[in-house]
């Protein structure tokens, strides 16, 4: 299929449309393969962790039941050569011991909550503090450290996995028993779609996301500073020294945070801007111009000039956390056997805003009994 045509169809799919809606026949790429399960490792308590391999539309991926981790995601370059574009580890022991959330599902609350404390319906809750005085990504035993129940599926020309998890009332200090279902779909076009859903039996706060570290030149290939990034957001949420939002939604115009037109990640990375000093680089939430949307709408585009690989992200979420891999410090060895140094991968986490439970002006992350939390993000790959 012509690549320009593929882009149109992929974009339509991300917006909830189909090729039939476009009034044109479509090809199914290189074809789907049923998910294949294999043993990846065993936790100290004897729990088995499995790896699931999926392939469709020219894309291949491996997903672990531990943390819902995307261990690898292979996509072709402009010459059709496959490379793994997500950072990760070879062994389960490494994920348990030292992973900075490589490829993981994040919950109950993605990103930070100031001092690990919030008030809901007049009651104050203290959740696990694991990032200085703040809570990060649900606490020390967040969803990234849990073993998920995994159910493979095929649906038409698409394949995927349903991941299920129950988080008990009081885990990491969060109220309510939360029942979570996350669906990974690898589409006939080679795109990766994530659908999140959750219900609760008590009022609680929820903010689920995926924490893949991208390097479109290939995992272990070096810095992402030459990648070109575009973010469809005119504002961002400045932070204090602890990386907690101040509550302001500042304009990006005239600052290093202006990615409304594509530029290289490294172009303004070393500017003497106080916000960059706080994060040792970019580690901030962008307020997407589209806001919350009922169907996924385009939010960001990442492109590697050397390989030609392009990633476009569409989401229903109102925010996007761009993290430039600032705290990778050369102590971790990746799947390809190479050391990860600062800036060797970046994250584009679709989300509600950090510290929203303490910021009434931010979109609410409260979930109540009888409601269903829903969120969708689509990763579309072209070359």
């Amino acid at each position: 299929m012509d690549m320009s045509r593929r882009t149109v169809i992929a974009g339509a799919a991300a917006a909830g449309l189909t090729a039939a809606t476009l009034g044109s026949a479509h090809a199914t790429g290189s074809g789907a393969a049923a998910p294949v399960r294999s043993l990846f490792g065993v936790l100290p308590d004897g729990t088995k962790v499995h790896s699931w391999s999926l392939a469709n539309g020219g894309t291949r991926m491996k997903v672990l039941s531990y943390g819902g981790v995307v261990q690898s995601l292979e996509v072709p370059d402009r010459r059709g050569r496959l490379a793994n574009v997500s950072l990760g580890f070879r062994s389960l022991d490494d994920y348990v011991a030292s992973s900075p959330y490589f490829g993981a599902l994040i919950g109950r609350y993605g990103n930070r909550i100031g001092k690990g404390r919030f008030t809901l319906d007049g009651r104050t809750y203290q959740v696990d503090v694991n990032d200085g005085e703040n809570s990060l990504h649900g606490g020390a035993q967040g969803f990234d450290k849990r073993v998920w129940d995994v159910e493979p599926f095929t649906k038409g020309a698409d394949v995927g996995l349903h991941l299920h998890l129950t988080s008990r009332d009081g885990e990491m200090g969060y109220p309510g028993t939360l029942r979570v279902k996350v669906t990974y779909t690898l589409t006939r076009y080679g795109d990766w779609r994530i659908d999140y859903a959750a219900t609760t039996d008590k009022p609680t706060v929820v903010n689920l996301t995926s924490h893949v570290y991208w390097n479109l030149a290939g995992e272990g290939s070096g810095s992402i500073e030459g990648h070109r990034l575009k973010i469809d957001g005119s504002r961002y949420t400045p932070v204090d020294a602890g990386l907690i939002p101040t509550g302001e939604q500042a304009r990006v115009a005239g600052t290093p945070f202006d990615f409304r037109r594509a530029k290289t990640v490294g172009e303004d990375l070393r500017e003497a801007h106080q916000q960059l000093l706080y994060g040792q680089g970019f580690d901030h939430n962008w307020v997407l111009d589209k806001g919350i949307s009922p169907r996924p709408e385009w939010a960001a585009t990442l492109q590697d000039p050397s390989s030609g690989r392009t990633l476009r992200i569409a989401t229903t979420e109102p925010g996007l956390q761009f993290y430039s891999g600032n705290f990778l410090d050369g102590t971790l060895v990746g799947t390809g056997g190479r050391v990860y140094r600062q800036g060797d991968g970046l994250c584009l986490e679709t989300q509600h805003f950090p510290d929203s439970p303490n910021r009434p002006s931010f979109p609410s992350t409260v979930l109540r009994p009888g409601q269903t939390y829903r969120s969708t993000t689509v990763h579309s790959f072209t070359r």
Side-chain angles (χ1 to χ4, degrees):
M1 177 167 53
D2 174 78
M3 288 312 301
S4 61
R5 179 62 184 159
R6 181 193 182 284
T7 303
V8 170
I9 294 176
L17 304 177
T18 65
T21 305
L22 293 173
S24 174
H26 61 274
T28 57
S30 60
V36 176
R37 188 182 80 161
S38 60
L39 182 66
F40 185 71
V42 181
L43 293 171
D45 66 359
T47 302
K48 293 182 179 179
V49 172
H50 292 95
S51 171
W52 291 87
S53 298
L54 300 87
N56 204 6
T59 299
R60 302 191 304 200
M61 65 188 304
K62 290 186 178 179
V63 177
L64 307 182
S65 57
Y66 180 81
V69 163
V70 175
Q71 186 200 16
S72 67
L73 199 156
E74 297 178 86
V75 296
D77 66 6
R78 62 167 61 92
R79 298 182 181 179
R81 299 174 299 188
L82 285 173
N84 174 22
V85 296
S86 68
L87 275 56
F89 291 123
R90 290 178 176 176
S91 75
L92 178 60
D93 288 346
D94 285 335
Y95 282 105
V96 172
S98 56
S99 177
Y101 307 100
F102 284 148
L105 284 174
I106 302 298
R108 285 189 191 192
Y109 199 94
N111 219 304
R112 294 173 173 87
I113 295 178
K115 295 182 172 57
R117 191 179 305 128
F118 62 90
T119 300
L120 177 59
D121 294 343
R123 180 175 175 180
T124 298
Y125 294 91
Q126 179 65 59
V127 299
D128 187 56
V129 171
N130 62 328
D131 183 50
E133 64 179 5
N134 304 314
S135 182
L136 175 65
H137 294 330
Q141 296 297 317
F143 291 177
D144 60 296
K145 299 293 193 302
R146 298 285 300 278
V147 176
W148 294 65
D149 293 326
V150 181
E151 174 191 359
F153 71 88
T154 58
K155 183 178 181 181
D158 299 338
V159 298
L161 304 170
H162 297 304
L163 299 99
H164 301 268
L165 182 70
T166 298
S167 176
R168 297 186 305 276
D169 182 21
E171 282 188 359
M172 296 291 102
Y174 287 91
T177 294
L178 192 75
R179 301 185 186 279
V180 183
K181 178 182 178 182
V182 179
T183 300
Y184 288 172
T185 302
L186 198 56
T187 76
R188 69 198 74 183
Y189 310 113
D191 298 335
W192 172 38
R193 176 177 176 128
I194 312 175
D195 291 287
Y196 305 87
T199 59
T200 184
D201 62 358
K202 293 181 181 179
T204 192
V205 295
V206 185
N207 189 26
L208 306 180
T209 191
S210 172
H211 207 289
V212 172
Y213 285 68
W214 300 104
N215 188 322
L216 298 183
E219 175 273 337
S221 65
S223 175
I224 46 76
E225 289 189 23
H227 282 38
R228 295 183 61 81
L229 177 63
K230 178 178 182 291
I231 300 175
D232 298 330
S234 301
R235 296 177 182 270
Y236 76 108
T237 52
V239 296
D240 61 20
L243 301 182
I244 301 299
T246 63
E248 181 186 5
Q249 297 183 39
R251 294 188 180 276
V252 301
T255 77
F257 295 84
D258 193 350
F259 284 89
R260 291 174 297 172
R261 293 186 178 181
K263 65 179 180 181
T264 63
V265 171
E267 182 172 329
D268 296 317
L269 186 60
R270 289 171 176 77
E271 290 293 313
H273 190 286
Q274 185 61 63
Q275 288 294 306
L276 294 178
L277 296 176
Y278 282 152
Q280 299 182 35
F282 296 105
D283 192 5
H284 295 75
N285 170 70
W286 267 252
V287 179
L288 298 175
D289 290 338
K290 70 175 191 62
I292 300 172
S293 53
R295 292 182 175 180
E297 296 182 15
W298 297 121
T301 303
L302 182 68
Q303 195 256 347
D304 170 44
S306 65
S307 66
R309 295 185 185 93
T310 298
L311 165 63
R312 295 191 70 194
I313 295 177
T315 187
T316 57
E317 289 293 293
L320 179 82
Q321 185 85 7
F322 166 37
Y323 167 56
S324 52
N326 317 322
F327 302 112
L328 298 174
D329 60 3
T331 61
L332 304 178
V333 179
T335 49
R338 295 187 176 183
V339 168
Y340 293 149
R341 301 188 184 280
Q342 186 179 52
D344 281 357
L346 62 83
C347 300
L348 298 167
E349 305 154 63
T350 56
Q351 60 179 11
H352 272 53
F353 304 169
D355 204 35
S356 289
N358 296 311
R359 301 291 175 181
S361 63
F362 288 178
S364 175
T365 55
V366 174
L367 180 68
R368 299 186 179 277
Q371 299 176 335
T372 300
Y373 170 99
R374 296 191 188 278
S375 176
T376 297
T377 295
V378 181
H379 305 80
S380 297
F381 302 96
T382 58
R383 60 186 192 272

PDB file of all heavy atoms in Angstrom, residues 63-74:
ATOM      1  N   VAL A  63       5.244  -8.350  24.999  1.00  0.00           N
ATOM      2  CA  VAL A  63       4.597  -7.775  26.176  1.00  0.00           C
ATOM      3  C   VAL A  63       4.727  -8.751  27.330  1.00  0.00           C
ATOM      4  O   VAL A  63       4.508  -9.957  27.166  1.00  0.00           O
ATOM      5  CB  VAL A  63       3.111  -7.483  25.896  1.00  0.00           C
ATOM      6  CG1 VAL A  63       2.417  -6.951  27.147  1.00  0.00           C
ATOM      7  CG2 VAL A  63       2.964  -6.500  24.739  1.00  0.00           C
ATOM      8  N   LEU A  64       5.079  -8.247  28.512  1.00  0.00           N
ATOM      9  CA  LEU A  64       5.212  -9.074  29.702  1.00  0.00           C
ATOM     10  C   LEU A  64       3.961  -8.965  30.568  1.00  0.00           C
ATOM     11  O   LEU A  64       3.351  -7.896  30.665  1.00  0.00           O
ATOM     12  CB  LEU A  64       6.425  -8.634  30.523  1.00  0.00           C
ATOM     13  CG  LEU A  64       7.773  -8.537  29.805  1.00  0.00           C
ATOM     14  CD1 LEU A  64       8.851  -8.133  30.804  1.00  0.00           C
ATOM     15  CD2 LEU A  64       8.126  -9.845  29.118  1.00  0.00           C
ATOM     16  N   SER A  65       3.616 -10.079  31.226  1.00  0.00           N
ATOM     17  CA  SER A  65       2.524 -10.021  32.201  1.00  0.00           C
ATOM     18  C   SER A  65       2.949  -9.203  33.423  1.00  0.00           C
ATOM     19  O   SER A  65       2.104  -8.658  34.133  1.00  0.00           O
ATOM     20  CB  SER A  65       2.092 -11.429  32.610  1.00  0.00           C
ATOM     21  OG  SER A  65       3.175 -12.174  33.133  1.00  0.00           O
ATOM     22  N   TYR A  66       4.238  -9.097  33.678  1.00  0.00           N
ATOM     23  CA  TYR A  66       4.754  -8.261  34.763  1.00  0.00           C
ATOM     24  C   TYR A  66       4.680  -6.795  34.339  1.00  0.00           C
ATOM     25  O   TYR A  66       5.348  -6.360  33.387  1.00  0.00           O
ATOM     26  CB  TYR A  66       6.198  -8.632  35.084  1.00  0.00           C
ATOM     27  CG  TYR A  66       6.830  -7.823  36.204  1.00  0.00           C
ATOM     28  CD1 TYR A  66       6.591  -8.139  37.537  1.00  0.00           C
ATOM     29  CD2 TYR A  66       7.658  -6.745  35.927  1.00  0.00           C
ATOM     30  CE1 TYR A  66       7.170  -7.410  38.568  1.00  0.00           C
ATOM     31  CE2 TYR A  66       8.248  -6.010  36.945  1.00  0.00           C
ATOM     32  CZ  TYR A  66       7.986  -6.343  38.260  1.00  0.00           C
ATOM     33  OH  TYR A  66       8.553  -5.615  39.279  1.00  0.00           O
ATOM     34  N   GLY A  67       3.817  -6.032  35.000  1.00  0.00           N
ATOM     35  CA  GLY A  67       3.715  -4.604  34.730  1.00  0.00           C
ATOM     36  C   GLY A  67       3.099  -4.239  33.401  1.00  0.00           C
ATOM     37  O   GLY A  67       3.093  -3.059  33.036  1.00  0.00           O
ATOM     38  N   GLY A  68       2.590  -5.249  32.651  1.00  0.00           N
ATOM     39  CA  GLY A  68       2.101  -4.936  31.307  1.00  0.00           C
ATOM     40  C   GLY A  68       3.184  -4.349  30.436  1.00  0.00           C
ATOM     41  O   GLY A  68       2.911  -3.618  29.473  1.00  0.00           O
ATOM     42  N   VAL A  69       4.443  -4.684  30.748  1.00  0.00           N
ATOM     43  CA  VAL A  69       5.608  -4.059  30.121  1.00  0.00           C
ATOM     44  C   VAL A  69       5.696  -4.401  28.633  1.00  0.00           C
ATOM     45  O   VAL A  69       5.580  -5.570  28.246  1.00  0.00           O
ATOM     46  CB  VAL A  69       6.895  -4.509  30.831  1.00  0.00           C
ATOM     47  CG1 VAL A  69       8.138  -4.224  29.986  1.00  0.00           C
ATOM     48  CG2 VAL A  69       7.015  -3.836  32.186  1.00  0.00           C
ATOM     49  N   VAL A  70       5.894  -3.379  27.805  1.00  0.00           N
ATOM     50  CA  VAL A  70       6.277  -3.591  26.409  1.00  0.00           C
ATOM     51  C   VAL A  70       7.793  -3.739  26.404  1.00  0.00           C
ATOM     52  O   VAL A  70       8.531  -2.758  26.504  1.00  0.00           O
ATOM     53  CB  VAL A  70       5.824  -2.416  25.519  1.00  0.00           C
ATOM     54  CG1 VAL A  70       6.335  -2.600  24.091  1.00  0.00           C
ATOM     55  CG2 VAL A  70       4.310  -2.294  25.538  1.00  0.00           C
ATOM     56  N   GLN A  71       8.252  -4.996  26.311  1.00  0.00           N
ATOM     57  CA  GLN A  71       9.690  -5.242  26.371  1.00  0.00           C
ATOM     58  C   GLN A  71      10.382  -4.815  25.084  1.00  0.00           C
ATOM     59  O   GLN A  71      11.512  -4.329  25.104  1.00  0.00           O
ATOM     60  CB  GLN A  71       9.970  -6.725  26.637  1.00  0.00           C
ATOM     61  CG  GLN A  71      11.450  -7.014  26.851  1.00  0.00           C
ATOM     62  CD  GLN A  71      11.816  -8.464  26.649  1.00  0.00           C
ATOM     63  OE1 GLN A  71      11.042  -9.229  26.064  1.00  0.00           O
ATOM     64  NE2 GLN A  71      12.989  -8.844  27.130  1.00  0.00           N
ATOM     65  N   SER A  72       9.705  -5.005  23.959  1.00  0.00           N
ATOM     66  CA  SER A  72      10.268  -4.564  22.680  1.00  0.00           C
ATOM     67  C   SER A  72       9.143  -4.252  21.716  1.00  0.00           C
ATOM     68  O   SER A  72       8.039  -4.818  21.811  1.00  0.00           O
ATOM     69  CB  SER A  72      11.196  -5.630  22.081  1.00  0.00           C
ATOM     70  OG  SER A  72      10.461  -6.781  21.707  1.00  0.00           O
ATOM     71  N   LEU A  73       9.404  -3.343  20.798  1.00  0.00           N
ATOM     72  CA  LEU A  73       8.460  -2.996  19.750  1.00  0.00           C
ATOM     73  C   LEU A  73       9.269  -2.697  18.492  1.00  0.00           C
ATOM     74  O   LEU A  73      10.019  -1.728  18.454  1.00  0.00           O
ATOM     75  CB  LEU A  73       7.606  -1.806  20.166  1.00  0.00           C
ATOM     76  CG  LEU A  73       6.304  -1.604  19.393  1.00  0.00           C
ATOM     77  CD1 LEU A  73       5.298  -0.823  20.227  1.00  0.00           C
ATOM     78  CD2 LEU A  73       6.527  -0.898  18.067  1.00  0.00           C
ATOM     79  N   GLU A  74       9.143  -3.571  17.508  1.00  0.00           N
ATOM     80  CA  GLU A  74       9.954  -3.486  16.295  1.00  0.00           C
ATOM     81  C   GLU A  74       9.121  -2.938  15.142  1.00  0.00           C
ATOM     82  O   GLU A  74       8.031  -3.446  14.853  1.00  0.00           O
ATOM     83  CB  GLU A  74      10.498  -4.852  15.915  1.00  0.00           C
ATOM     84  CG  GLU A  74      11.441  -5.458  16.939  1.00  0.00           C
ATOM     85  CD  GLU A  74      11.912  -6.839  16.528  1.00  0.00           C
ATOM     86  OE1 GLU A  74      12.904  -6.938  15.786  1.00  0.00           O
ATOM     87  OE2 GLU A  74      11.254  -7.819  16.941  1.00  0.00           O
TER      88      GLU A  74
END
